[in-house]
């Protein structure tokens, strides 16, 4: 082990009670992630024990230079898989000094929806399938693809095994274990249809915690790709042409849907989603029109369709749900670069609170 690696892996608990807290927030694009670290006197178990902090919003595109201070409010704590020990990752949202959420803070509005007594009573479960693409650092071309060229057509890569089919598995497995260590409810991972593209699933997780966990899982993944010298892309259609795009399929159920008679509740929820299709599409990620073309396992962006076991639909209902008469459904419209705070809260609002 090199001296540098030895220092990186230094166990602070041998010499001090102090810990390092990495504060994480969403940057000015609404999809980029930022973080910085601070020392705390000792271990922390709850976000309420953490101090607020600030950063220079003029350097992240979130505040003007003459009034640049943005305040971080700690919201969720995770174990730090990089520093380990008692060190933590802290998911924050961002506010002006006056206490107003800044425009990229989508968590604040989501928290209001998830704290509504009607929504709380329904115990909303989410399972989010986060697809992503790994790119070669210098040329921004998928890993495993020949420089300036293309691999063989899609077919052998989905859940594929072998050096000519699976590109980046070391990153994927590292991320999987790091998320479990952190306390993120990652339920699985798999290679995707396009080579160099992968997916991890978060859930089932209740309410706003699902979105917190997806954001921190993205952060951990980008830290790992940083170490590996590759680039993480959440572009919903990274390669034009006859290649699958990248989405964030959102599986969803309420307590009423999971109980006997739940299938009728599911059908009513789907009807509501259809009535608000345009509003959802507008909030489901940038560049989604390049992905939702009616091809490559998608429905056309301007058309709302649902079906049982239909991966070309906007909303897919599983065979088991139809058979059991209760369960969940999958919203296949969200893009890979969607904000999980927006998507999860909007689905809850449309299906539980909204009155047509």
């Amino acid at each position: 082990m090199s001296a540098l690696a030895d220092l990186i892996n230094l166990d602070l608990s041998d010499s001090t009670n102090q810990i390092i807290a990495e504060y994480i927030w969403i940057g000015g694009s609404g999809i980029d992630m930022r973080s910085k670290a601070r020392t705390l006197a000792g271990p922390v178990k709850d976000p309420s024990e953490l101090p607020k902090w600030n950063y220079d919003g003029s350097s992240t595109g979130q505040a003007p230079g003459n009034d640049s201070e943005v305040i971080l409010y700690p919201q969720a704590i995770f174990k730090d898989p990089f520093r380990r020990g008692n060190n933590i990752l802290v998911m924050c949202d961002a506010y002006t000094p006056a206490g107003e959420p800044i425009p990229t803070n989508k968590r604040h509005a989501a928290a209001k929806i998830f704290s509504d007594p009607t929504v709380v009573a329904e115990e909303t479960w989410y399972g989010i399938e986060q697809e992503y693409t790994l790119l070669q650092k210098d040329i921004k071309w998928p890993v495993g693809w020949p420089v300036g060229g293309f691999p063989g057509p899609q077919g052998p890569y989905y859940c594929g095994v072998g050096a000519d089919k699976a590109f980046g598995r070391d990153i994927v497995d590292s991320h999987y274990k790091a998320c479990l260590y952190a306390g993120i409810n990652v339920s699985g991972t798999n290679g995707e249809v396009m080579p160099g593209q992968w997916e991890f699933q978060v859930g089932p997780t209740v309410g706003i915690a699902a979105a917190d966990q997806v954001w921190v899982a993205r952060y951990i993944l980008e830290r790992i790709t940083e170490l590996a010298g590759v680039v993480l892309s959440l572009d919903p259609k990274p390669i034009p042409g006859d290649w699958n795009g990248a989405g964030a399929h959102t599986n969803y159920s309420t307590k009423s849907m999971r109980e006997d008679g739940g299938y009728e509740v599911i059908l009513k929820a789907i009807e509501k989603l259809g009535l608000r299709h345009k509003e959802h599409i507008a909030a489901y990620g940038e560049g989604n029109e390049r992905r939702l073309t009616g091809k490559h396992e998608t429905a056309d962006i301007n058309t709302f369709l649902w079906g049982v076991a239909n991966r070309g639909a906007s909303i897919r209902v599983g065979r088991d749900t139809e058979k059991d008469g209760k369960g969940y459904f999958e919203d296949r419209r969200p893009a890979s670069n969607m904000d999980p705070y927006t998507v999860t809260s909007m689905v809850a609002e449309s299906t539980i609170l909204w009155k047509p």
Side-chain angles (χ1 to χ4, degrees):
M1 181 180 291
S2 70
L4 181 60
D6 190 42
L7 285 170
I8 290 172
N9 293 312
L10 194 64
D11 185 357
L12 296 178
S13 62
D14 292 339
S15 58
T16 180
N17 287 326
Q18 293 176 307
I19 68 163
I20 300 172
E22 190 79 24
Y23 278 45
I24 303 166
W25 70 95
I26 299 158
S29 71
I31 188 66
D32 63 308
M33 304 200 74
R34 310 289 180 121
S35 74
K36 61 177 184 173
R38 68 182 298 166
T39 304
L40 300 176
V44 174
K45 298 296 184 183
D46 191 90
S48 63
E49 302 173 41
L50 291 166
K52 295 174 184 176
W53 205 6
N54 65 75
Y55 67 92
D56 173 15
S58 70
S59 295
T60 63
Q62 294 171 296
N66 63 352
D67 188 14
S68 63
E69 192 169 283
V70 179
I71 312 302
L72 294 172
Y73 288 31
Q75 299 291 357
I77 291 176
F78 300 86
K79 293 173 64 178
D80 187 338
F82 303 102
R83 296 187 177 106
R84 305 182 191 179
N86 290 319
N87 303 301
I88 55 175
L89 304 176
V90 184
M91 189 65 206
C92 305
D93 58 356
Y95 296 80
T96 68
E100 295 296 321
I102 65 172
T104 50
N105 179 358
K106 307 302 182 185
R107 192 187 194 281
H108 180 79
K112 288 184 177 180
I113 292 170
F114 284 117
S115 62
D116 185 286
T118 307
V119 176
V120 172
E122 282 290 355
E123 297 176 13
T124 54
W125 289 7
Y126 295 92
I128 299 174
E129 305 171 27
Q130 177 66 69
E131 295 178 340
Y132 60 93
T133 308
L134 299 175
L135 304 178
Q136 301 171 55
K137 181 180 178 181
D138 296 326
I139 60 173
K140 303 297 175 65
W141 199 237
V143 296
W145 289 40
V147 176
F150 296 87
Q154 295 183 154
Y157 309 110
Y158 172 70
C159 298
V161 178
D164 58 342
K165 305 178 192 70
F167 310 120
R169 192 186 297 276
D170 53 345
I171 293 171
V172 173
D173 277 357
S174 297
H175 176 248
Y176 197 168
K177 291 181 179 180
C179 284
L180 290 174
Y181 177 91
I184 295 169
N185 188 24
V186 170
S187 50
T189 188
N190 60 267
E192 269 303 329
V193 177
M194 189 184 86
Q197 193 177 86
W198 296 81
E199 171 186 300
F200 65 89
Q201 302 96 32
V202 171
T205 306
V206 177
I208 203 167
D212 286 334
Q213 291 188 20
V214 170
W215 272 117
V216 176
R218 287 175 173 179
Y219 173 82
I220 291 172
L221 179 57
E222 192 146 25
R223 285 282 304 274
I224 291 172
T225 59
E226 174 188 319
L227 293 171
V230 302
V231 174
L232 170 66
S233 173
L234 296 181
D235 190 298
K237 186 72 173 179
I239 305 297
D242 195 17
W243 303 98
N244 273 38
H249 302 155
T250 300
N251 298 276
Y252 170 73
S253 71
T254 64
K255 184 178 181 182
S256 299
M257 294 176 190
R258 297 187 295 270
E259 293 176 343
D260 290 343
Y263 196 69
E264 289 303 315
V265 180
I266 289 172
L267 295 182
K268 290 177 182 177
I270 293 173
E271 181 181 5
K272 285 184 172 184
L273 291 174
L275 293 173
R276 299 193 75 194
H277 178 64
K278 289 184 178 180
E279 293 92 330
H280 279 256
I281 287 296
Y284 272 17
E286 295 293 324
N288 214 8
E289 72 282 351
R290 294 182 283 116
R291 167 181 164 261
L292 297 180
T293 62
K295 301 178 180 178
H296 304 112
E297 302 181 63
T298 69
D300 181 84
I301 194 168
N302 297 310
T303 304
F304 182 84
L305 299 170
W306 79 274
V308 176
N310 183 0
R311 295 183 183 275
S314 311
I315 304 292
R316 180 184 67 87
V317 175
R319 291 284 184 202
D320 286 345
T321 295
E322 180 188 44
K323 178 183 176 182
D324 296 340
K326 58 185 175 181
Y328 70 98
F329 64 82
E330 175 191 46
D331 190 341
R332 297 179 59 81
R333 297 171 295 173
S336 51
N337 60 6
M338 62 82 163
D339 187 321
Y341 293 128
T342 298
V343 169
T344 56
S345 61
M346 197 171 191
V347 170
E349 181 185 30
S350 292
T351 60
I352 300 172
L353 300 177
W354 184 64
K355 305 298 182 184

